[in-house]
């Protein structure tokens, strides 16, 4: 409990310090800007009705989205080509649509409670990696191979221009991640294939069919188990039944000899 308290206070302190530093370096984006145009376009396509703020930040950091109840997309101050800006905003909105910010908060809670377990830190990195790869998949699912390469170049350009460390997992979902998982991320997005609706429907049908068979089998077997057991015992004569009970008692009961002596004294009644 002491460890949980210390880790909680540390996370709160780092979060407050970072948000204070961030807000001091953020500038609102005008509604008439190109960034606002691309943001509204993708929000309409994704049917996102929440109010999402977009700001520029003087800190040299990669684009990211933060805030669960008041979401905000943070863009760096350096020049971003319009085609790359469009992909970046789409990526961050998909994070919001997929509830990745909630997943990161849940992971943070698990980290606080299991601060003593080294595997929780590995799990946190894996979850962040797979959140990014899942988001990339949704971005490129309908793209050609050339467009996917362009998206990969956007990630590389963002990483090259961003000098600030982006390992603040508790803060939000970043567009660019660490270099260790970069190769896997780029290769994965090039190999993404769109799954046809027929395959999805067939998979769901098979899943429900197997589940239904299992439930029906269980319901059918349960009331008949005792009946079958009684029928089998009736077919076995008294001597065999006694032998079966003796064997079971030897395996499971420490009071076997006492019970056996009762049986021998009163065998007919037994």
């Amino acid at each position: 409990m002491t460890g949980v308290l210390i880790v909680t206070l540390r996370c709160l302190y780092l979060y407050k310090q970072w948000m204070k530093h961030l807000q001091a370096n953020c500038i609102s984006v005008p509604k008439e800007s190109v960034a606002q145009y691309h943001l509204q376009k993708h929000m309409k396509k994704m049917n996102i009705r929440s109010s999402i703020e977009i700001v520029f930040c003087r800190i040299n950091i990669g684009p990211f989205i933060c805030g669960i109840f008041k979401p905000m997309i943070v863009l760096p101050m350096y020049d971003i080509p319009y085609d790359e800006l469009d992909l970046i905003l789409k990526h961050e909105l998909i994070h919001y649509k997929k509830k990745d910010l909630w997943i990161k908060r849940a992971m943070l809670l698990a980290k606080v409670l299991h601060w003593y377990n080294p595997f929780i830190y590995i799990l946190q990195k894996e979850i962040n990696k797979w959140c990014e790869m899942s988001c990339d998949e949704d971005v490129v699912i309908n793209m050609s191979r050339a467009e996917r390469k362009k998206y990969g170049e956007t990630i590389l350009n963002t990483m090259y221009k961003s000098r600030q460390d982006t390992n603040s997992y508790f803060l939000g979902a970043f567009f660019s991640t660490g270099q260790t998982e970069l190769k896997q991320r780029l290769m994965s997005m090039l190999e993404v294939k769109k799954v046809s609706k027929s395959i999805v429907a067939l998979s769901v049908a098979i899943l429900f069919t197997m589940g239904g068979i299992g439930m029906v089998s269980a319901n059918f077997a349960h009331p008949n188990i005792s009946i079958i057991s009684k029928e089998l015992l009736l077919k076995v004569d008294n001597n065999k039944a006694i032998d079966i009970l003796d064997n079971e008692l030897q395996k499971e009961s420490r009071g076997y000899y006492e019970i056996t002596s009762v049986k021998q004294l009163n065998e007919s009644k037994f």
Side-chain angles (χ1 to χ4, degrees):
M1 289 302 294
T2 303
V4 169
L5 180 62
I6 292 171
V7 175
T8 301
L9 293 174
R10 180 178 179 272
C11 288
L12 288 173
Y13 173 77
L14 291 174
Y15 179 78
K16 291 289 186 182
Q17 288 293 108
W18 174 252
M19 288 304 297
K20 184 179 178 180
H21 181 55
L22 184 67
Q23 290 171 358
N25 289 278
C26 283
I27 303 170
S28 298
V29 176
K31 293 184 178 180
E32 299 79 15
S33 66
V34 177
Q36 287 284 5
Y37 167 75
H38 287 297
L39 179 70
Q40 296 302 323
K41 178 185 70 174
H42 288 301
M43 286 180 65
K44 187 176 181 180
K45 286 182 180 179
M46 297 180 196
N47 196 26
I48 298 175
R49 298 181 180 179
S50 304
S51 177
I52 299 178
E53 187 181 2
I54 184 170
V55 297
F56 285 122
C57 183
R58 287 188 288 265
I59 305 172
N60 195 1
I61 195 170
F64 66 94
I65 184 170
C66 62
I68 292 178
F69 301 107
K70 293 182 179 180
M72 179 176 66
I73 296 177
V74 180
L75 298 174
M77 288 291 289
Y78 56 75
D79 288 336
I80 304 175
Y82 293 158
D83 54 348
E84 292 187 4
L85 180 62
D86 184 69
L87 292 171
I88 289 170
L89 290 173
K90 183 178 181 181
H91 177 99
E92 299 305 335
L93 285 175
I94 288 174
H95 273 307
Y96 178 78
K97 186 79 173 178
K98 292 170 73 70
K99 310 294 183 185
D100 286 346
L101 295 175
W102 285 98
I103 293 172
K104 288 175 181 287
R105 290 296 186 277
M107 189 63 240
L108 179 61
L109 178 61
K111 178 182 171 182
V112 168
L113 296 175
H114 295 268
W115 59 270
Y116 52 86
N117 188 347
F119 291 104
I120 202 70
Y121 301 95
I122 299 173
L123 179 62
Q124 185 182 40
K125 290 183 178 180
E126 286 296 309
I127 285 178
N128 279 281
K129 180 182 75 175
W130 287 105
C131 279
E132 292 300 326
M133 292 178 68
S134 174
C135 188
D136 291 337
E137 181 179 332
D138 284 2
V139 172
V140 304
I141 193 70
N142 294 314
M143 289 183 177
S144 64
R145 192 169 184 83
E147 290 172 329
R148 294 182 185 193
K149 287 183 177 180
K150 175 61 183 175
Y151 179 67
E153 289 175 3
T154 302
I155 295 174
L156 292 172
N157 291 338
T158 304
M159 290 184 64
Y160 176 74
K161 293 176 182 177
S162 302
R163 302 299 181 188
Q164 183 80 14
D165 181 27
T166 57
N167 289 328
S168 302
Y169 297 120
F170 58 86
L171 182 62
F174 285 87
F175 178 74
S176 56
T177 52
Q179 295 182 9
T180 52
E181 62 267 16
L182 178 61
K183 182 178 179 180
Q184 184 181 0
R185 187 178 172 188
L186 294 174
M187 293 301 295
S188 177
M189 73 175 67
L190 290 174
E191 296 171 359
V192 170
K193 294 182 180 179
K194 190 173 183 179
V195 181
S196 63
K197 292 182 180 180
S198 58
I199 293 176
V200 175
L202 180 62
S203 301
V204 172
I206 291 172
L207 179 64
F208 277 101
T209 302
M210 292 178 66
I213 291 172
M215 291 178 65
V216 171
S217 300
N219 289 331
F220 174 77
H222 181 71
N224 292 296
I225 289 173
S226 59
I227 297 172
I228 293 170
S229 300
K230 289 178 182 178
E231 289 177 354
L232 288 172
L233 286 174
L234 288 173
K235 291 179 181 178
V236 180
D237 57 40
N238 291 335
N239 292 331
K240 289 184 178 180
I242 291 170
D243 291 336
I244 291 170
L245 291 171
D246 283 346
N247 291 332
E248 292 299 318
L249 289 170
Q250 283 180 335
K251 294 178 182 177
E252 297 180 6
S253 176
R254 294 185 178 180
Y256 164 70
Y257 293 108
E258 184 182 351
I259 295 172
T260 303
S261 64
V262 174
K263 182 205 72 174
Q264 290 173 347
L265 290 172
N266 201 355
E267 187 173 354
S268 59
K269 290 185 179 180
F270 182 85

